[in-house]
């Protein structure tokens, strides 16, 4: 379970909009530490949900199904238990299939079309664990066969925000991790 240094605000002390997010987090993800800590600066979480997610992730130029597939690939690669519990439900609701979720680590699987394969490969370049990630010529060509440069740019920014949030969530210990998380918790005695 997460054990952040930042103060957690209890549900009953959160503003009403964050109480709704707390309830949703508990329903969909079985934990709400992120929401409790966000109670210290609710306007920041408002930006994340209502600007990034509402305007770019669920809006924008690129189909949300593609963004959901990419988000699942990243959160699975990053080992974010909190993210994966909720992201899988959202991905399925937005048209990603269970077969695709099961094959995320096999982009050549027949369940993916060429457009989805290109996005999954972009995710592999953007992940936290790949410090040498790069959009080379063949990857750009694979993406540009299906997306214009504005859409590729949007995908890059979406992935960058998601990867940056993953790093933040792990460094601040705001979410549960899976065993494959590339950012491990330090030995508590050594961390003090």
């Amino acid at each position: 379970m997460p054990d952040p240094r930042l103060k957690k605000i209890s549900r009953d002390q959160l503003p009403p909009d964050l109480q709704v997010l707390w309830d949703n987090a508990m329903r969909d993800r079985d934990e709400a530490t992120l929401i409790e800590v966000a109670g210290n600066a609710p306007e920041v979480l408002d930006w994340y949900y209502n600007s990034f997610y509402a305007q770019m992730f669920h809006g924008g130029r690129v189909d949300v199904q593609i963004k959901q597939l990419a988000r699942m690939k990243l959160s699975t690669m990053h080992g974010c238990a909190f993210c994966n519990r909720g992201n899988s439900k959202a991905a399925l609701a937005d048209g990603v299939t269970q077969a695709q979720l099961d094959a995320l680590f096999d982009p050549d699987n027949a369940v993916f079309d060429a457009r989805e394969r290109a996005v999954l490969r972009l995710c592999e370049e953007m992940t936290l664990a790949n410090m040498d990630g790069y959009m080379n010529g063949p990857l750009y060509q694979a993406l540009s066969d299906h997306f214009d440069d504005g859409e590729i740019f949007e995908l890059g920014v979406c992935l960058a925000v998601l990867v940056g949030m993953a790093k933040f969530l792990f460094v601040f210990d705001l979410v549960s991790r899976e065993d494959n998380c590339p950012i491990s918790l330090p030995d508590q005695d050594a961390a003090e």
Side-chain angles (χ1 to χ4, degrees), residues 52-67:
F52 170 67
Y53 268 109
Q55 293 176 22
M56 183 186 289
F57 190 87
H58 292 286
R61 300 165 180 251
V62 178
D63 177 39
V64 71
Q65 181 269 342
I66 285 291
K67 293 175 193 170

Side-chain angles (χ1 to χ4, degrees), residues 7-40:
K7 178 177 69 173
K8 295 192 292 187
I9 309 298
S10 65
R11 183 198 180 281
D12 61 321
Q13 296 298 312
L14 292 171
D17 58 330
L18 289 190
Q19 288 180 3
V20 171
L21 292 177
W22 190 95
D23 293 341
N24 292 344
M26 291 303 292
R27 180 194 68 220
D28 296 338
R29 301 167 189 269
D30 299 322
E31 63 183 81
T33 303
L34 168 62
I35 308 304
E36 293 166 347
V37 171
N40 292 294

Side-chain angles (χ1 to χ4, degrees), residues 39-60:
N40 292 294
E43 70 281 1
V44 177
L45 199 62
D46 180 71
W47 170 85
Y48 185 57
Y49 281 116
N50 295 317
S51 292
F52 170 67
Y53 268 109
Q55 293 176 22
M56 183 186 289
F57 190 87
H58 292 286

